[in-house]
Amino acid sequence: MGGRRARLTSGAGAPPPSGRVDLSGPQGVQLRTALTAVLRICPEFHAVQVLRRSSRSVVLLGTVGRGTAVAKCLLDHSPVWTERFHQEIAVYRTFVRHRPPVRVPRLIAANAEEGTLVLERVPGRTVSLPQHRFEPQSGADIRATLEAISRLNRWQPPSGLFDHPIKYGARIARYHELGLLTDRDVEDLQKLLHGLATASAQPVRRQFCHGDALLSNILLSPTGPALVDWEQAGWYLPGYDLATLWSVLGDTPAARRQISQFAQAGGAASRDAFLVNLMLVLTREVRNCEMAVRRTMSESLPTAPGVPTAPGEAQRLLLRRLQDDCALARGAVRAAVGTR
C-alpha cells in the first residue's frame, strides 16, 4: 500500500475495533464483492470499517480472531496497478522468511490473482499523515525515523529476492522527454551515474530501500518504529530513502541538514548517489503537483466578480516550494559534477 494510502495504525493497547460495514447504497455491490474476495482467503476476517476507498482499491479495517487486521482489495486490475499489487504481496511473503531489521506488518493471507491482501494492523501513531506538511516535525520523531531507515538500508537480504524498481537512465530520459529536465540536467546526472558505475576505489553497491519512505508510512509503535506500505521496496542507488524523506521535510531545515550530512558521510560516491536520487524524487513530485494544480483549477467553479477565491492554493504553495527545492538540488548536482 503506497504512501498516499490508508495507514495501518491503532492506539497501543486499544481494544479490537467493533462495528459493521454499511453494504447498502450504490457502492454496496462493490464492497460486497471486495469482502467476498477477502473472506475466500481469510474466512475469520470480520470487517468493521472502510478505511479508504478509491477507484483503485478499497481498504477495510477488521478483526481476525482477537487481533486487529487490515484487508486491501484491488479494484483497478489494469496492468500497472496489478503489477504493483503483486509486488506488494511478494514483498510481504518474502518478509515471512527473511525478516527485515525493522517492524513490519505480519502477513495473514494474500491472493495475488484476485488482488486481496490481509495484514495485521500495527499499533502506533503515524509520524505525519499529509505527504508534504507546512510545519516543523518533532526532532524526536525525525531521529526515530532516521534510525529505522538507517537500519533498513544496512540490511543485506539474500540476492535475487527483490527487484530494481528504478532504471535510472530510462527514468532520466523520460523526464527529459516530458520537459522536466533540461539538457544540462541530463548531462550532469549522466556524469554522476557514470562515475558511480566506474568507481574503482570504492565501488557503489545498490542499497535495499523501502522505496516510499514518507513520514506517512512510518509508525511510532510502543516497540519502536514500524514501516508499512512496501510495494516499492527493492534495490536502489544508496540514499533513495533519505532523498524521499528530504523531499517532504521542507519546514524542518535541521532535519534536512542532518539527512544531507548523513548522505555525505560515506564519501563522494555516497553524496553523488544521494543527489541523483534527490533530483529524480523532486522532479517526480513537481510533476505530480503540477498535475494536481491543473486538475484543481479545471474543477473549480468561477466566482462572482470581486469575490476572493483561492482554489488549489495549498497545491500552488507546495509547487513553488518543490520548484525551489529542485533548483537547490540542481545546484548541488552541478557542484558535485565540478568536483569530479
Side-chain angles (χ1 to χ4, degrees):
M1 290 176 268
R4 298 32 136 195
R5 288 165 282 280
R7 307 294 141 221
L8 315 181
T9 60
S10 68
S18 60
R20 183 177 180 181
V21 174
D22 183 5
L23 299 177
S24 62
Q27 296 182 327
V29 174
Q30 187 182 69
L31 284 177
R32 283 195 295 272
T33 301
L35 186 55
T36 299
V38 172
L39 293 176
R40 275 198 292 269
I41 65 169
C42 186
E44 302 85 3
F45 184 82
H46 173 68
V48 299
Q49 182 183 346
V50 177
L51 285 181
R52 181 193 61 79
R53 177 168 42 200
S54 70
S55 60
R56 294 192 296 269
S57 63
V58 59
V59 180
L60 303 170
L61 171 66
T63 59
V64 175
R66 300 177 62 182
T68 309
V70 172
K72 179 180 178 182
C73 303
L74 190 64
L75 302 177
D76 182 350
H77 291 273
S78 61
V80 61
W81 293 110
T82 297
E83 181 181 354
R84 292 181 66 172
F85 197 84
H86 285 190
Q87 169 68 10
E88 185 176 7
I89 290 177
V91 170
Y92 280 115
R93 283 175 171 165
T94 300
F95 285 165
V96 173
R97 303 185 303 274
H98 304 278
R99 300 295 295 178
V102 295
R103 176 79 187 276
V104 301
R106 178 177 59 87
L107 176 65
I108 297 175
N111 185 311
E113 285 66 36
E114 290 199 7
T116 51
L117 174 65
V118 183
L119 302 165
E120 72 164 326
R121 190 192 196 200
V122 177
R125 64 177 178 86
T126 307
V127 176
S128 173
L129 276 176
Q131 179 180 349
H132 294 275
R133 298 197 64 167
F134 288 89
E135 61 184 52
Q137 294 295 314
S138 159
D141 288 356
I142 295 300
R143 285 192 296 273
T145 296
L146 289 176
E147 179 185 349
I149 292 298
S150 178
R151 287 202 309 271
L152 177 69
N153 294 160
R154 291 195 301 267
W155 187 42
Q156 290 293 319
S159 61
L161 294 180
F162 298 99
D163 295 332
H164 293 66
I166 291 183
K167 293 179 173 58
Y168 283 87
R171 181 69 59 89
I172 291 170
R174 178 178 172 228
Y175 286 164
H176 183 235
E177 290 174 359
L178 292 171
L180 300 169
L181 294 176
T182 67
D183 293 345
R184 174 69 182 274
D185 292 333
V186 172
E187 181 182 353
D188 288 343
L189 290 172
Q190 287 177 341
K191 285 180 180 178
L192 292 185
L193 286 176
H194 178 74
L196 293 170
T198 59
S200 56
Q202 187 178 5
V204 177
R205 298 179 59 185
R206 291 284 177 133
Q207 183 183 73
F208 183 77
C209 293
H210 177 277
D212 197 20
L214 304 169
L215 297 176
S216 53
N217 284 334
I218 300 167
L219 310 179
L220 300 180
S221 70
T223 57
L227 275 67
V228 300
D229 292 358
W230 289 86
E231 67 183 26
Q232 298 183 55
W235 297 100
Y236 294 78
L237 286 177
Y240 188 86
D241 283 342
L242 293 178
T244 302
L245 281 174
W246 193 98
S247 73
V248 298
L249 288 171
D251 287 289
T252 313
R256 280 188 162 182
R257 286 193 297 270
Q258 186 177 359
I259 290 172
S260 298
Q261 291 167 1
F262 190 84
Q264 297 180 64
S270 176
R271 174 205 64 193
D272 292 353
F274 169 74
L275 289 175
V276 170
N277 285 320
L278 183 60
M279 195 68 188
L280 293 184
V281 167
L282 289 172
T283 301
R284 179 197 65 201
E285 291 304 303
V286 165
R287 179 174 184 250
N288 290 341
C289 196
E290 286 176 342
M291 294 172 65
V293 168
R294 288 196 294 268
R295 184 167 56 249
T296 301
M297 294 186 67
S298 66
E299 293 173 353
S300 62
L301 297 175
T303 58
V307 178
T309 182
E313 183 62 22
Q315 288 99 328
R316 286 196 291 272
L317 288 173
L318 175 59
L319 179 58
R320 284 198 292 269
R321 188 173 81 180
L322 288 170
Q323 289 170 337
D324 290 342
D325 288 343
C326 252
L328 185 64
R330 180 175 289 111
V333 167
R334 291 181 179 177
V337 170
T339 65
R340 288 196 161 273

